[in-house]
Amino acid sequence: MKNQFYPIKFNPILKDKIWGGEKLKSILNKPSTVKNVGESWEISDVEGDVSMVANGSLKGQSLKHLLSTYKDDLIGKQNYAEFGNTFPLLIKFIDAKEDLSIQLHPNNTLAAKRHNSFGKTEMWYVMQADQDANLIVGFNQPMDSETYLKHLENKTLPEILNFDTVKTGDAYFIDVGRVHAIGSGVLLAEIQQTSDITYRVYDWDRVDDAGNERELHIDLALEAFDFNMPENFRVSYSKVENKANAMVTCPYFTVNYLKLSEPLIKRNTKDSFIIYMCVAGQLLVKANGFSTALQTGETVLLPAALKDFELVTDNATLLEVYV
C-alpha cells in the first residue's frame, strides 16, 4: 500500500475558547459558526480529538487507523519503535483575541507519572500580530519559588513576567517548565508534543458567561516549574529563499523555515514523516502522481515511505516539521 501514499490533509478540529476570536475563520478560512474559535488542531492523535483524513483514497480514515495499519511506513522505523500507535506531534493554529492564561507544561517524567501522557514541549511561529501585541515568555528577573508565590498571592504576577512585543515571523521555543502565555491580537502556528496537559497559574481574574472562573493548577505547577532556565527562548534563523533554514531542533521535533519563490524538488532522507504548515501563500505538493493544494492556514502530512516529492509555487512560506 505504501506505493499509493500521497500528501495527506486532515479535517481541522476547531476549539471554542473563552479567549478565541475570528482570525481562524477570517484569515485562515476555517469553517466554523462558533464565535470564539481559539484553536484549529490540524494533526492530532489526542484521545477524543483524533484527526480524520480529508482527501484522497484514505479520506474518512482516522490518523489512529493509518498509524495502526501502516506503522513505520507512515511515521518511520525509529519513531514507530518509540511511539507505537501514537502519533508523536500535535499541530495547531491559534488565534488569541484575548490574553491566554499564564501557564506552563510538565516534562515527560512528571506528565507520565501524573497523567499517563507525554510532556508538552512546544514552538510558536507568529503568522500575524496586531499592533503592540505581545507574548509572555519567562520572567523579567532571576526567579525562585518564594518570590513567584508571593506575587501570585498578591495578584502581581504580571510585574515579574517577560513581555515581548511580536511581529510576523517571530518564533519562540517553549521548553517544559517555562512560564508563558499568548497575548491578545496574536495569530500563530504551534508545533508540540502530543499532549493536552496545561497547568494554569493565573487567568486574569476573568469569568465565563456563567460567572465561573476557570480552574487553576497552582500546586501541580509548582513542581513542574524550572526557575533557572536560560533566556534562550527566542528563535534566531536565516531566511534564505528556496532552501530549508534551521529553526528548532530538540529531542521531540525539528522545524525548518522555507520561503519559496520557485518550485522545489525534495527527497525525504529522514526516517520520519514530514509535515508542512503553510503560513503564507499557496502551493501544490506533488508526489507519486498525486497533487495536493495547500493554502495559508493549511497543513499536509507526507508519510515516511513517500520519499520523492515536489513543492510547486512562486510564493509560499512553510514550516517543515519532522521527528
Side-chain angles (χ1 to χ4, degrees), residues 216-282:
L216 299 179
H217 313 98
I218 307 301
D219 294 336
L220 287 173
L222 196 57
E223 190 180 348
F225 257 110
D226 184 344
F227 291 107
N228 299 307
M229 303 186 81
E231 291 189 21
N232 59 353
F233 46 79
R234 299 178 188 88
V235 177
S236 298
Y237 62 100
S238 58
K239 298 182 180 180
V240 181
E241 289 195 1
N242 304 312
K243 64 167 287 187
N245 297 271
M247 298 183 79
V248 167
T249 300
C250 73
Y252 312 108
F253 51 78
T254 294
V255 182
N256 299 322
Y257 172 92
L258 278 79
K259 169 65 172 154
L260 301 180
S261 58
E262 60 187 36
L264 188 64
I265 295 174
K266 298 273 288 182
R267 178 164 178 79
N268 181 4
T269 59
K270 313 293 182 184
D271 179 27
S272 173
F273 59 89
I274 297 179
I275 291 169
Y276 286 105
M277 303 183 77
C278 185
V279 294
Q282 57 189 14

Side-chain angles (χ1 to χ4, degrees), residues 99-297:
D99 296 330
L100 271 68
S101 63
I102 310 300
Q103 58 189 248
L104 70 153
H105 308 299
N107 60 29
N108 278 348
T109 302
L110 205 53
K113 182 174 74 172
R114 290 176 170 175
H115 313 285
N116 192 29
S117 171
F118 296 131
K120 193 177 175 185
T121 303
E122 59 191 24
M123 178 201 151
W124 296 334
Y125 174 88
V126 178
M127 296 174 65
Q128 185 272 338
D130 297 348
Q131 187 172 355
D132 299 325
N134 60 57
L135 301 173
I136 294 172
V137 187
F139 296 102
N140 60 19
Q141 57 191 269
M143 191 50 53
D144 55 56
S145 59
E146 184 178 348
T147 305
Y148 155 74
L149 288 171
K150 178 181 176 182
H151 280 276
L152 192 63
E153 183 179 350
N154 294 336
K155 296 187 181 297
T156 57
L157 186 62
E159 292 180 6
I160 59 173
L161 298 174
N162 172 65
F163 289 77
D164 269 14
T165 302
V166 294
K167 63 184 183 307
T168 301
D170 286 346
Y172 290 78
F173 179 67
I174 314 297
D175 207 348
V176 290
R178 192 187 298 280
V179 67
H180 62 277
I182 303 171
S184 63
V186 178
L187 174 68
L188 57 76
E190 180 176 274
I191 297 103
Q192 61 159 92
Q193 292 176 268
T194 292
S195 170
D196 198 29
I197 307 301
T198 294
Y199 295 156
R200 192 181 299 125
V201 299
Y202 182 59
D203 199 29
W204 311 104
D205 303 313
R206 64 184 157 201
V207 296
D208 62 18
D209 291 340
N212 301 312
E213 294 184 351
R214 292 196 295 173
E215 181 183 5
L216 299 179
H217 313 98
I218 307 301
D219 294 336
L220 287 173
L222 196 57
E223 190 180 348
F225 257 110
D226 184 344
F227 291 107
N228 299 307
M229 303 186 81
E231 291 189 21
N232 59 353
F233 46 79
R234 299 178 188 88
V235 177
S236 298
Y237 62 100
S238 58
K239 298 182 180 180
V240 181
E241 289 195 1
N242 304 312
K243 64 167 287 187
N245 297 271
M247 298 183 79
V248 167
T249 300
C250 73
Y252 312 108
F253 51 78
T254 294
V255 182
N256 299 322
Y257 172 92
L258 278 79
K259 169 65 172 154
L260 301 180
S261 58
E262 60 187 36
L264 188 64
I265 295 174
K266 298 273 288 182
R267 178 164 178 79
N268 181 4
T269 59
K270 313 293 182 184
D271 179 27
S272 173
F273 59 89
I274 297 179
I275 291 169
Y276 286 105
M277 303 183 77
C278 185
V279 294
Q282 57 189 14
L283 70 154
L284 295 176
V285 184
K286 294 187 174 183
N288 208 14
F290 295 86
S291 182
T292 300
L294 209 61
Q295 299 185 17
T296 303

